[in-house]
Every structure is written in structure tokens, then in C-alpha cells.
């Protein structure tokens, strides 16, 4: 793997072409559903990046699946970021107290610091064409799922500055294309660009916005990195790239990233909202229609031969999974620096990241693990975590079965399971009572084992009415089918109190136990995207002790689909049939066709 990242997206595409990891589709395709279905089948087979040169009604070629394998994601960003972060962390642990010898030994870091920031050019490739004749309908913007509200820009790098302090923010917020000159601006809670807009709106001012498409791959990584609110993402991008980020003057309030493919320049006016969505999201369901601010595009700047980059999200694992996991690996050395008692932390992309995280912490005194849990849930985007598992012994957090078994061997749910209601929730998680609202759970599994876990289900009594097809997911965790929630809402409560399950510390009630237990990916997705701690955690008995709700095992999680949940994502049948029929046209030299309906879930 190269030390450095690539200067722009086209240099990365050229490298993939040389590596034989790029498939070029020259036959006509439509941006409405067809490209997305091709993309999903290719990624399901761990296939190559895709370049579509003939997108109907579009004036530009389209690239997708650029980062859709672990190899490509690592290649895109190079080895330099991980090396530098580990070096900075090591230096922070040894530099104090400073001595001449230590400072001399840190001269490499000072040299790297000289490369951080931006450098101004008079011109850049992105300004080869600048026009006020905005025609977003000429871009190959994808509609990816049949119930989507329209086409969405899915890899936008949205740049803004705080209207008072001038502090910049670069984030990735999807853009629903409303018409040729306007899009939605999907600022969820906890997002830096949204904070900028809130300040501008409070002053009755429009917020200047520039959206970059393409550019150095380092920009993409920095835009989605969960940095502290006032840390400039462009600084991180230059640090990753190993050189100052080139900018040039543009037609709006902001300098443009010189190596970008496109720049959409405009403003988001105050107190203007339009319905945005639905949109098939990375949780594997449709995020529903809600009102969001509107981005009014006044100018478009682009290269003469610009390439439009896009991605497709849906049920895990999709392209965003590989970027998200790489980012976690990259930032993991920082966790002990920011949160000293946290030695390891992992959020599970199979659950949409915010639905579940696990941590290994130092427990230097009794119950210190809970202090670490509060620290994690108060840290930036980690504050949106819905359920947190906390351990105090070394476990491979990526191996979720091992994590869950370790937890269940050690936990005493009466004192170790906590549910906090009436808190904020990730905007895309619809398990709570209202958008952005819900509850959190923290489950501790610390110390030595306190029980031997059952490995087979041999109930001493007949299971309760409605229980069917029990499956062992891992020692101590039983997955049980139940009637649909609409037909028997109280089934989970009844199961929790039934002696047939008394030996199992955790029982997950689900609509399809065979699917939920088929793999760790399936279990994570079908469980943690379908329950809310405040409403769906049950137990054999509950009591109030010192104002704490104690849960007596078994703990039963009701992970059935509930009323008001959005629909699961499925491809349009006509489009799926069309793609199957045309596959050899797209790829005359041969590219494996995966099963997009199952993807990586099965």
C-alpha cells in the first residue's frame, strides 16, 4: 500500500484501472434504479469499482463502488494516516516533560506539521468551466431504491463556515435533488454544518454553502470523520494527503478545492423548508419524509471532463461499511488519548454504526466501567449510540459472538443493565417514539464469570404459546420466533416470564429466527435496528431498587418489526429483471453477479 493518498479521484480511478480493479460500462444505462442495482450486485460479489460512461440524459460519466472492498478503501487513503496518528499518540505519551533530546526526536512531527493546511492557486482544474446556468438534471444523480423521493447526491462534501467565528466545517450530508437548481440539505442533529445553519438562521441570514464532488480521496475520509466540532476537516485532509490542500478562487463566498471534479456554489436561506425523502438508507430501511432546509445553487464549477462520483447505501454491508470500518481502525489509537480509561472501542456498521457499540475499559475500582460508559456516550457522534456493551477484559470487539458470550458469562443484569429514556437518538433510527427521540441502553459485563452458559435448548417445560423455531445464536443467547407484533404485541413480555427460557440470560424475539441466527451480520442487523431499549427490553421480573430498575434474567429483547417502522429495502422487480437480462451487455469481458437481495447478510 502506498504511503500517500491520491491527489484527486481520477488518479485513484487510473490506479484501479492499472490494477484490473475497475470495470467500465459503455452501454447506455439509466440513473433511475438501474445503476444502483448493478452496483449492489457487483458489491455483493466483492467486485470491482465501476465507471459508467453512457448514462442516459446525463452529460458526465459516473463512478461508483470506488471504496467497496477493504483493499480499495485502504489504497484510497494510503498508509500515512495510520502511521502519523500512531506517531502523534506515542509522542503525546513521551514528550512531557520536554527536553532538548525529546524535542529533537520529535522533529519528524514538526516537519509533517509544515505540510498541514491549504495553499492558494490562481486557478484550478475545477474552474475550467464556471457557469450560472445551473442544470443539476444534467448530472447522473442516482435514484437508488423504488420508494425514494427522487434522485439523491450521495457523496457530497458540504463546506460551510460559522457565520460568527468563521470556523469551517466539511461534512457529508445527502442532497435530495428537487429540481434543476435546488436540493435538500439533510442536516441531522449533532452535525457541524447544521450548527452553522442554526446560527445563521437565528440571525435571519442565508448560509453560504459550497458542495464539492470528487477531489482528493482524503477529503471524503475527513468529511465523515467524527472530529471535535471546531477541528477543521480540511486540516485533517491535508494531513492524510501529505501535502497542503490546493484551493483556488471561485464564484461564491468560499475558495474551491482545486482538484475537485465539481463544485456546487450557493446558499441555504433561513426559514425555508421542503419535504426531503423517503430515502433508502444505510440502516437497510427507508428514512421517511421530513422537512429539511433547501440548498439554492447559483453556480456550478467543474472540470471539462468531470467524473461524477456516487455511492449506493442499503442493507449491510455496502460501500460505506468499508470506509466506516477503515475510519474506526484509523482513529482507534486516539481513544485512550481522548478517553484514558477506554482501551478499545468499536461501533458495528452492520447496525448502522449508531445502533450498537462495544468497549473494553480499565476497571481500576468497582463500577468505574460505568464512568467510562458515560464518557463514551458524551463524546461527539458517539453520543448518538443507542446501545453500549462495556467489558473490562481483552476481547476482539470485531467478533461479536465472542463479545456477547463474554458479556453474558459475567453480567448481573440486576445491577449491570441500565436503560435511559427521553434522550436523543440518531435521526435515521425510527425505533423511538418520535424522530430524533428515544432511549439508550448500557450493559456491563465486567469481572470474572458468574455463570456457565447454556449451549443447547432443552426446555424443562413446554415453551409458551406462539414461541417457534428457537435457534442458539451463541452460548447464552437464544433467538426465538414469535407472532407478528401486530397480532401479539405482548409475546415478548410473556416469553420473559416463562420458565422455558429461565436458563438463558438473553432471549431475542424476532419475526424470522432462521434469518436472525444465520450469521453475526444478520443477527446484528435484525436485532439492533429493530428495538429501542426504553420500549423493547423485558425481563422475568422488574423491581425498583434505590430508584434503579432492576432486570432479572432472562433479558428478552423484542426485535420484531413494530407499527410505524419504515419498510425494509427491496429492489424494484422490473429493474432487477432488466439487470439480470442485460448483465453480459454491461460486462462483455465478465464480472461476477452477486445476489443483491441477500448481499453480505447471508
Amino acid at each position: 500500500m502506498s504511503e500517500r493518498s491520491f491527489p484527486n479521484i481520477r488518479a485513484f480511478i487510473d490506479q484501479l484501472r492499472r490494477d484490473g480493479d475497475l470495470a467500465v460500462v459503455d452501454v447506455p444505462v439509466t440513473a433511475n434504479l438501474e445503476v444502483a442495482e448493478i452496483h449492489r450486485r457487483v458489491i455483493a460479489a466483492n467486485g470491482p469499482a465501476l465507471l459508467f460512461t453512457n448514462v442516459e440524459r446525463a452529460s458526465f460519466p459516473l463512478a461508483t463502488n470506488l471504496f467497496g472492498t477493504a483493499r480499495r478503501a485502504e489504497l484510497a487513503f494510503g498508509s500515512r494516516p495510520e502511521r502519523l496518528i500512531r506517531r502523534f499518540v506515542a509522542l503525546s505519551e513521551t514528550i512531557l516533560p520536554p527536553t532538548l533530546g525529546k524535542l529533537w526526536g520529535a522533529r519528524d512531527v514538526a516537519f509533517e506539521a509544515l505540510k498541514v493546511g491549504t495553499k492558494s492557486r490562481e486557478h484550478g482544474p475545477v474552474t475550467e468551466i464556471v457557469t450560472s446556468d445551473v442544470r443539476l438534471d444534467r448530472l447522473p444523480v442516482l435514484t437508488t431504491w423504488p420508494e425514494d423521493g427522487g434522485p439523491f447526491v450521495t457523496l457530497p462534501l458540504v463546506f460551510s463556515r460559522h457565520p460568527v467565528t468563521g470556523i469551517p466545517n466539511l461534512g457529508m450530508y445527502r442532497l435530495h435533488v428537487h429540481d434543476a437548481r435546488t436540493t435538500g440539505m439533510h442536516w441531522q442533529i449533532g452535525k457541524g454544518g447544521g450548527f452553522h445553519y442554526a446560527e445563521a438562521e437565528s440571525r435571519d441570514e442565508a448560509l453560504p454553502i459550497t458542495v464539492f464532488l470528487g477531489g482528493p480521496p482524503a477529503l471524503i475520509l475527513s468529511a465523515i470523520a467524527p472530529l471535535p466540532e471546531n477541528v477543521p476537516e480540511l486540516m485533517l485532509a491535508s494531513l492524510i494527503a501529505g501535502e497542503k490542500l490546493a484551493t483556488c478562487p471561485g464564484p461564491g463566498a468560499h475558495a474551491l478545492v482545486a482538484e475537485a471534479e465539481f463544485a456546487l456554489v450557493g446558499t441555504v436561506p433561513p426559514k425555508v423548508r421542503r419535504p426531503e425523502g423517503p430515502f433508502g438508507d444505510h440502516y437497510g430501511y427507508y428514512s421517511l419524509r421530513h422537512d429539511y432546509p433547501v440548498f439554492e445553487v447559483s453556480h456550478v464549477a467543474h472540470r471539462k471532463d468531470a467524473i461524477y462520483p456516487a455511492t449506493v447505501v442499503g442493507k449491510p454491508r455496502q460501500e460505506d461499511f468499508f470506509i466506516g470500518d477503515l475510519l474506526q481502525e484509523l482513529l482507534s489509537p486516539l481513544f485512550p488519548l481522548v478517553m484514558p480509561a477506554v482501551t478499545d472501542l468499536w461501533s458495528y456498521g452492520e447496525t448502522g454504526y449508531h445502533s450498537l457499540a462495544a468497549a473494553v475499559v480499565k476497571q481500576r475500582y468497582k463500577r468505574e466501567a460505568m464512568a467510562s460508559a458515560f464518557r463514551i456516550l458524551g463524546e461527539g457522534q458517539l453520543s448518538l449510540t443507542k446501545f453500549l456493551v462495556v467489558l473490562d477484559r481483552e476481547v476482539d470487539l470485531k467478533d461479536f459472538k465472542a463479545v456477547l458470550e463474554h458479556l453474558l458469562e459475567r453480567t448481573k443484569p440486576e445491577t449491570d443493565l441500565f436503560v435511559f429514556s427521553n434522550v436523543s437518538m440518531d435521526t435515521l433510527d425510527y425505533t423511538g417514539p418520535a424522530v430524533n427521540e428515544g432511549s439508550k441502553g448500557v450493559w456491563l459485563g465486567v469481572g470474572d464469570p458468574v455463570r456457565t452458559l447454556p449451549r443447547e435448548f432443552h426446555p424443562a417445560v413446554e415453551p409458551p404459546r406462539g414461541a417457534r423455531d428457537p435457534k442458539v445464536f451463541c452460548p447464552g443467547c437464544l433467538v426465538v420466533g414469535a407472532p407478528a407484533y401486530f397480532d401479539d404485541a405482548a409475546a415478548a413480555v410473556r416469553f420473559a416470564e416463562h420458565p422455558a427460557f429461565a436458563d438463558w440470560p438473553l432471549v431475542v424475539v424476532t419475526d424470522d429466527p432462521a434469518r436472525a441466527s444465520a450469521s453475526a451480520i444478520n443477527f446484528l442487523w435484525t436485532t439492533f435496528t429493530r428495538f429501542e431499549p426504553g420500549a423493547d427490553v423485558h425481563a422475568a421480573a422488574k423491581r425498583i431498587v434505590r430508584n434503579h430498575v432492576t432486570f432479572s434474567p432472562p433479558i428478552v429483547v423484542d426485535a420484531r418489526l413494530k407499527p410505524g417502522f419504515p419498510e425494509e429495502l427491496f429492489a424494484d422487480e422490473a429493474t432487477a429483471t432488466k439487470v439480470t437480462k442485460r448483465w453480459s451487455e454491461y460486462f462483455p469481458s465478465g464480472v461476477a453477479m452477486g445476489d443483491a437481495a441477500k448481499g453480505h447478510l447471508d
Side-chain angles (χ1 to χ4, degrees), residues 457 468-474 477-481 504 513-514 517:
F457 183 54
R468 57 181 172 80
D469 200 15
K471 304 285 186 183
V472 176
F473 172 68
C474 73
C477 177
L478 189 68
V479 179
V480 180
W504 293 83
S517 60

Side-chain angles (χ1 to χ4, degrees), residues 39-185:
H39 171 112
R40 287 191 292 267
R41 295 194 189 190
V42 170
I43 202 168
N46 296 307
L50 300 170
L51 180 64
F52 298 90
T53 63
N54 190 356
V55 182
E56 293 180 7
R57 300 182 182 178
S59 302
F60 303 93
L62 161 71
T64 76
N65 200 27
L66 295 175
F67 315 107
T69 64
R71 188 200 83 86
R72 288 203 296 275
E74 291 172 1
L75 176 67
F77 307 114
S79 61
R80 189 171 184 276
E82 182 177 3
R83 176 182 63 79
L84 283 179
I85 286 178
R86 292 191 181 278
R87 176 70 178 115
F88 288 148
V89 170
L91 186 62
S92 72
E93 295 171 345
T94 60
I95 195 69
L96 297 176
T99 66
L100 287 177
K102 290 179 180 179
L103 293 174
W104 178 250
R107 64 189 183 279
D108 60 318
V109 175
F111 179 72
E112 297 287 359
L114 295 175
K115 304 176 185 178
V116 172
T118 60
K119 58 184 178 183
S120 181
R121 297 179 183 172
E122 187 175 347
H123 302 287
V126 73
T127 57
E128 288 175 344
I129 295 177
V130 179
T131 179
S132 60
D133 181 21
V134 178
R135 291 292 306 275
L136 300 180
D137 55 330
R138 302 306 299 171
L139 299 179
V141 185
L142 298 182
T143 301
T144 56
W145 296 100
E147 300 302 318
D148 280 1
F152 283 80
V153 181
T154 51
L155 280 181
L157 304 169
V158 181
F159 183 83
S160 62
R161 288 189 179 275
H162 191 282
V164 177
T165 66
I167 292 173
N169 175 261
L170 184 74
M172 190 173 289
Y173 317 117
R174 73 186 190 220
L175 308 178
H176 181 173
V177 177
H178 295 314
D179 52 49
R181 298 186 69 95
T182 64
T183 78
M185 183 59 72

Side-chain angles (χ1 to χ4, degrees), residues 475-550:
C477 177
L478 189 68
V479 179
V480 180
Y485 187 91
F486 310 92
D487 298 326
D488 188 355
V493 176
R494 194 171 67 252
F495 290 7
E497 298 170 348
H498 199 280
F501 304 121
D503 294 335
W504 293 83
L506 176 61
V507 177
V508 174
V509 177
T510 186
D511 294 305
D512 187 348
R515 182 188 196 188
S517 60
S519 65
I521 298 174
N522 246 316
F523 179 86
L524 286 163
W525 181 64
T526 58
T527 300
F528 289 92
T529 64
R530 298 183 181 185
F531 93 95
E532 184 220 350
D536 299 319
V537 171
H538 307 286
K542 295 181 185 179
R543 293 187 303 139
I544 304 295
V545 178
R546 294 179 55 81
N547 283 330
H548 169 69
V549 178
T550 68

Side-chain angles (χ1 to χ4, degrees), residues 144-150 152 154 173-176 186-188 275-292 313-315 426-431 435-436 525 529 564-570:
T144 56
W145 296 100
E147 300 302 318
D148 280 1
F152 283 80
T154 51
Y173 317 117
R174 73 186 190 220
L175 308 178
H176 181 173
H186 190 83
W187 278 317
Q188 301 170 28
E276 186 260 18
F279 177 69
D281 221 314
H282 66 277
Y283 273 69
Y285 313 92
Y286 286 100
S287 58
L288 303 180
R289 196 179 194 205
H290 300 287
D291 287 345
Y292 277 91
V313 295
K315 284 179 277 193
D426 183 22
T427 301
L428 304 181
D429 189 322
Y430 285 91
T431 59
V435 67
N436 296 328
W525 181 64
T529 64
F565 280 19
E567 293 182 11
E568 183 178 333
L569 299 177
F570 294 101

Side-chain angles (χ1 to χ4, degrees), residues 71-374:
R71 188 200 83 86
R72 288 203 296 275
E74 291 172 1
L75 176 67
F77 307 114
S79 61
R80 189 171 184 276
E82 182 177 3
R83 176 182 63 79
L84 283 179
I85 286 178
R86 292 191 181 278
R87 176 70 178 115
F88 288 148
V89 170
L91 186 62
S92 72
E93 295 171 345
T94 60
I95 195 69
L96 297 176
T99 66
L100 287 177
K102 290 179 180 179
L103 293 174
W104 178 250
R107 64 189 183 279
D108 60 318
V109 175
F111 179 72
E112 297 287 359
L114 295 175
K115 304 176 185 178
V116 172
T118 60
K119 58 184 178 183
S120 181
R121 297 179 183 172
E122 187 175 347
H123 302 287
V126 73
T127 57
E128 288 175 344
I129 295 177
V130 179
T131 179
S132 60
D133 181 21
V134 178
R135 291 292 306 275
L136 300 180
D137 55 330
R138 302 306 299 171
L139 299 179
V141 185
L142 298 182
T143 301
T144 56
W145 296 100
E147 300 302 318
D148 280 1
F152 283 80
V153 181
T154 51
L155 280 181
L157 304 169
V158 181
F159 183 83
S160 62
R161 288 189 179 275
H162 191 282
V164 177
T165 66
I167 292 173
N169 175 261
L170 184 74
M172 190 173 289
Y173 317 117
R174 73 186 190 220
L175 308 178
H176 181 173
V177 177
H178 295 314
D179 52 49
R181 298 186 69 95
T182 64
T183 78
M185 183 59 72
H186 190 83
W187 278 317
Q188 301 170 28
I189 60 172
K191 305 299 183 181
F195 294 146
H196 291 183
Y197 178 67
E199 178 63 32
E201 191 171 49
S202 72
R203 302 160 68 89
D204 201 28
E205 298 173 358
L207 182 68
I209 292 291
T210 303
V211 175
F212 301 109
L213 300 172
L219 271 182
I220 295 175
L221 196 66
S222 62
I224 62 175
L227 298 176
E229 186 177 338
N230 292 328
V231 175
E233 287 82 5
L234 295 187
M235 302 289 279
L236 176 62
S238 66
L239 184 69
I240 294 171
E243 60 183 355
K244 291 190 175 183
L245 188 68
T247 63
C248 62
H254 308 137
L256 304 185
V257 174
E259 293 291 334
E261 299 294 314
F262 295 88
L264 312 181
V265 179
T267 59
V268 178
K271 301 179 177 62
V272 176
R273 303 289 189 275
R274 285 184 64 176
E276 186 260 18
F279 177 69
D281 221 314
H282 66 277
Y283 273 69
Y285 313 92
Y286 286 100
S287 58
L288 303 180
R289 196 179 194 205
H290 300 287
D291 287 345
Y292 277 91
V294 175
F295 176 39
E296 298 177 348
V297 185
S298 61
H299 293 81
V300 175
H302 64 87
R303 294 172 180 257
K304 290 179 181 178
D305 58 347
I307 301 170
Y308 176 86
T311 189
V312 177
V313 295
K315 284 179 277 193
R317 302 173 178 169
Q318 300 295 330
E319 185 176 6
D320 58 326
F321 178 91
F322 298 99
I323 301 176
D325 276 12
L326 176 69
L327 187 60
Q328 291 197 86
E329 294 275 13
L330 178 64
L331 297 179
S332 61
L334 295 175
F335 296 143
L337 191 65
V338 177
M339 300 174 284
V342 178
T343 62
D344 199 6
L345 180 64
W346 192 255
S347 297
Y348 294 88
E350 297 91 342
T351 72
Y353 289 106
H354 288 320
S355 290
L356 175 67
V360 177
V361 304
K362 297 175 184 176
Q363 175 115 305
R364 297 163 294 190
Y365 56 85
K366 188 175 182 180
R367 313 303 289 177
E368 185 186 8
M370 200 62 198
S372 296
F374 286 134

Side-chain angles (χ1 to χ4, degrees), residues 410-423:
R410 290 160 174 79
T411 189
K412 300 174 183 176
E414 293 87 347
T415 56
D416 292 346
L417 178 58
F418 299 82
V419 174
F420 307 99
S421 293
N422 304 310
V423 295

